[in-house]
Amino acid sequence: MSDTQIFKIASIPGDGIGTEITEAAIQVLDKLASVDGSFKFDYTHFDWSSKAYLERGWYMPPDGMEQLQKHDAIYFGAVGWPDVPDHISLWSLILPIRKNMNQYVNVRPTRILPGTKSPLSACEANPDTLDWIIIRENSEGEYAGQGGTTHENSPHTIATELAIFSRVGIERIMRFAFETARSRERKKLTMVTKSNAQRHGMVLWDKVFYEVAEDYPDVTWDKMLVDAMTVRMVNNPASMDTIVATNLHADILSDLAAALSGSIGIAPSSNLDPTRKHP
């Protein structure tokens, strides 16, 4: 009887470069499994792409979430195509997966890998100068999907986009961030905010952070306004280790981080449900 553990992977290559990186990633995963020998991967491939959407009118079938739930993890390539408006492709595929699978944590590690070169002169002599983990709140905030449009097709069109911040949502991402910081050698956490201008949701964001921080006296922390954070990432990369930010802020900062590490094309990212009730 074999003791080899089999992990079921739902593979969604998606669009554009997503198909290329998925093919390469599967080769890497299979090589890892063969070297380790204690586990294997069983892939199910889903053609949920923009090309398919244009042909049939949908990205995921009605039972798409049920199909994904049968797997241990999802490997997602990319979504987005010039012939499909971005808000349709995102809200028809990747965002529903994140929300329905309770993937409220997005983790973006950033390091300068062998073979890549950072544009930062500070990292030329010592690539280890840049070694971050960005923790992104992945379920609410600026991407909650709340708002609406009135008076369409008129000079008086009004559109609102509401950022939603709940105590539950903030506390769970802050605890995940502190636990991540605690697990790393430097035990240092930087919280990103914009509470000087956004005086409701971001003030609650700060307040809950301070409360959670009291439970982690062994973790050193500081606070940065998001605009100043971009400057610090460029000018003083060694001053940071673990970073926590809102959905929108971390989305932008993590792409900057990837570019500073030498290549956004190889930047890893994971969407997680820490309870492991979902892939």
Side-chain angles (χ1 to χ4, degrees), residues 20-250:
E20 299 176 27
I21 62 175
T22 300
E23 181 179 353
I26 287 176
Q27 294 179 30
V28 173
L29 290 174
D30 286 342
K31 181 64 175 179
L32 175 65
S34 66
V35 170
D36 183 274
S38 65
F39 62 88
K40 292 182 178 179
F41 296 108
D42 179 20
Y43 304 96
T44 302
H45 301 282
F46 295 92
D47 182 18
W48 296 349
S49 63
S50 294
K51 179 181 178 181
Y53 166 79
L54 291 171
E55 293 174 351
R56 66 195 179 200
W58 51 268
Y59 279 89
M60 282 191 293
D63 66 341
M65 294 300 169
E66 296 177 14
Q67 294 185 47
L68 294 178
Q69 187 63 50
K70 299 175 183 178
H71 297 79
D72 297 298
I74 302 166
Y75 187 90
F76 190 93
V79 63
W81 198 250
D83 295 333
V84 181
D86 288 338
H87 69 280
I88 292 179
S89 57
L90 261 67
W91 280 100
S92 298
L93 191 57
I94 185 63
L95 292 182
I97 292 174
R98 291 176 183 173
K99 293 181 182 301
N100 284 279
M101 296 298 174
N102 196 35
Q103 296 173 343
Y104 66 85
V105 177
N106 176 259
V107 180
R108 299 288 295 269
T110 305
R111 297 183 64 188
I112 301 173
L113 301 177
T116 60
K117 182 178 180 181
S118 171
L120 298 179
S121 58
C123 298
E124 289 184 6
N126 182 14
D128 291 338
T129 298
L130 197 161
D131 184 359
W132 306 327
I133 290 187
I134 298 177
I135 307 297
R136 169 184 171 185
E137 200 294 311
N138 208 37
S139 66
E140 50 183 43
E142 303 87 350
Y143 295 169
Q146 301 298 305
T149 304
T150 62
H151 304 89
E152 289 193 72
N153 303 315
S154 83
H156 303 287
T157 302
I158 298 173
T160 60
E161 199 77 45
L162 302 181
I164 304 298
F165 295 94
S166 69
R167 174 172 284 275
V168 169
I170 298 170
E171 181 173 352
R172 65 186 183 181
I173 197 65
M174 294 306 183
R175 291 198 179 279
F176 187 93
F178 271 103
E179 290 290 342
T180 301
R182 173 181 275 175
S183 70
R184 288 168 62 82
E185 183 178 357
R186 297 178 65 186
K187 293 181 170 53
K188 180 177 175 61
L189 177 62
T190 297
M191 182 268 282
V192 179
T193 184
K194 192 58 181 173
S195 53
N196 61 334
Q198 295 175 283
R199 58 181 183 169
H200 301 297
M202 295 263 53
V203 170
L204 179 62
W205 173 269
D206 293 2
K207 175 180 171 61
V208 176
F209 175 84
Y210 299 143
E211 293 173 358
V212 173
E214 295 180 0
D215 294 335
Y216 296 87
D218 55 324
V219 176
T220 302
W221 60 266
D222 60 6
K223 166 186 168 183
M224 290 294 297
L225 296 177
V226 64
D227 40 354
M229 184 66 171
T230 61
V231 178
R232 182 176 173 186
M233 290 170 70
V234 173
N235 289 345
N236 195 6
S239 69
M240 294 170 294
D241 186 82
T242 306
I243 300 162
V244 62
T246 70
N247 215 333
L248 174 63
H249 293 167

